[in-house]
Amino acid sequence: MEEVKDEVVSDEGQQEQISSTPTGPEDTEPAVRSEDTEDRAAEGGAAPSIPQQGVSSAVSPVDQFRMKKFFVLRPGTLNQAIKDVESLVDKEVDGSVHGIWLMAEVDHWNNEKERLVLVTDGTLLIFKYDFVMFKCEQIQKIPLNFVDRICHGTFSFPKHSILQREGEGVRVFWDRLREPSFTSRWNPFAIDFPFITFTYHPVRSMNDTFAALCDIQSFREKLKDAAQKVHATKPIPGKANGVLVLNQNIQIEAYVGLMSFIGNQNKLGYCMARGNVGF
């Protein structure tokens, strides 16, 4: 299996590359989460497992049909994914898991990408997980004592942008003194931004369980509380400690965004069934 390059924010606040080769389950039957994991996720506000229940009556039959294409909704898939990503948490470095969320990352070019997000005692972990092959493809780690700002609000674009995005999101900053370069802003593949943006996953309206698992507001509160504790116990010398929470518009500096329009309309950033081909 090929080695996958992962991004990590080191103790110096800079991103570095690590390698990991997580493997999928030995058999095709997804496993369920352990009891201690379920208890921990319930305390953190994330859903411990996916019960076999009907979809919400608020979801139209057409939307039900469309959402069933998401592989994360297949029986046992999410439980297996949570078990896999939790096994990658370093208890000695990251600590205990406070909560797990299924969300969509919105990059600087307005592209949506499916993500599993964990908040632990000392780290914010973002996982790119392949719900088709049951394997983690990428891990991004952000020490919580570097998180200095959390913004939440509706999305906005520059005055002359032709793009639109409804709904609200959460943007987490971890280096307020560093601004993205001009080259990075115009590079759709740039990964050196000192912030990350999340919004609701499309399946959150399926039922109450997924609504809790995809709740970005509970994520924001849990992240703020965990970061405040780490700032108090492990302050960064020469840096103002504490987390500033702001309610303001989240601006995406994209103007045309043809690539994001096509990608988001076809949900290319998600693991879905597409005809006879799974992407």
Side-chain angles (χ1 to χ4, degrees):
M1 182 173 294
E2 295 183 359
E3 255 190 4
V4 180
K5 295 291 184 179
D6 300 339
E7 297 176 5
V8 178
V9 177
S10 66
D11 290 340
E12 290 76 18
Q14 302 294 327
Q15 287 185 339
E16 62 183 18
Q17 299 289 331
I18 65 171
S19 298
S20 65
T21 55
T23 58
E26 294 181 358
D27 55 88
T28 58
E29 181 66 24
V32 297
R33 302 178 59 195
S34 59
E35 293 182 359
D36 58 335
T37 299
E38 294 177 350
D39 294 338
R40 184 170 63 245
E43 294 175 359
S49 61
I50 305 302
Q52 302 302 316
Q53 62 184 47
V55 297
S56 171
S57 59
V59 183
S60 68
V62 175
D63 289 337
Q64 291 178 22
F65 173 77
R66 290 175 178 173
M67 284 191 287
K68 285 181 179 179
K69 294 184 178 181
F70 288 91
F71 278 100
V72 70
L73 295 178
R74 303 295 170 91
T77 297
L78 183 59
N79 288 340
Q80 179 63 45
I82 292 175
K83 180 180 178 181
D84 290 344
V85 297
E86 284 190 328
S87 68
L88 299 176
V89 176
D90 188 338
K91 298 298 180 61
E92 295 183 0
V93 177
D94 304 319
S96 301
V97 177
H98 288 217
I100 303 172
W101 291 267
L102 175 67
M103 296 188 289
E105 178 188 345
V106 182
D107 70 9
H108 61 294
W109 272 45
N110 196 41
N111 296 293
E112 292 182 12
K113 304 171 184 178
E114 192 171 36
R115 294 291 184 262
L116 280 172
V117 182
L118 275 68
V119 174
T120 69
D121 288 333
T123 312
L124 171 64
L125 299 100
I126 300 101
F127 295 89
K128 178 183 178 182
Y129 189 85
D130 186 342
F131 291 99
V132 181
M133 300 301 296
F134 294 100
K135 65 178 182 178
C136 180
E137 296 183 334
Q138 189 180 60
I139 308 173
Q140 185 177 4
K141 289 189 175 185
I142 304 164
L144 292 184
N145 54 351
F146 278 88
V147 174
D148 48 41
R149 200 173 7 145
I150 302 174
C151 297
H152 61 97
T154 57
F155 290 100
S156 64
F157 292 86
K159 182 178 180 180
H160 300 291
S161 175
I162 64 174
L163 295 173
Q164 292 183 348
R165 172 178 287 279
E166 298 180 354
E168 59 180 336
V170 172
R171 178 168 288 176
V172 182
F173 296 82
W174 56 82
D175 191 351
R176 69 178 67 184
L177 300 179
R178 180 167 61 93
E179 291 293 332
S181 65
F182 177 83
T183 304
S184 297
R185 293 177 187 274
W186 287 95
N187 179 6
F189 305 105
I191 56 175
D192 59 344
F193 283 79
F195 60 81
I196 191 166
T197 308
F198 298 107
T199 190
Y200 291 107
H201 194 287
V203 303
R204 74 184 180 104
S205 58
M206 283 297 292
N207 53 47
D208 292 339
T209 302
F210 274 101
L213 188 67
C214 303
D215 188 1
I216 62 175
Q217 295 183 4
S218 68
F219 162 73
R220 183 188 76 218
E221 292 297 326
K222 186 65 65 174
L223 176 63
K224 180 196 70 174
D225 293 342
Q228 293 282 25
K229 291 181 181 179
V230 177
H231 276 288
T233 57
K234 297 180 180 179
I236 303 298
K239 183 177 180 180
N241 290 292
V243 181
L244 183 63
V245 180
L246 301 174
N247 184 359
Q248 62 184 28
N249 290 342
I250 298 177
Q251 186 168 26
I252 301 176
E253 296 183 8
Y255 292 84
V256 179
L258 179 60
M259 182 175 68
S260 66
F261 176 78
I262 296 175
N264 294 342
Q265 286 292 321
N266 294 279
K267 296 292 187 291
L268 298 183
Y270 300 85
C271 291
M272 296 183 65
R274 307 178 192 279
N276 295 325
V277 179
F279 182 82

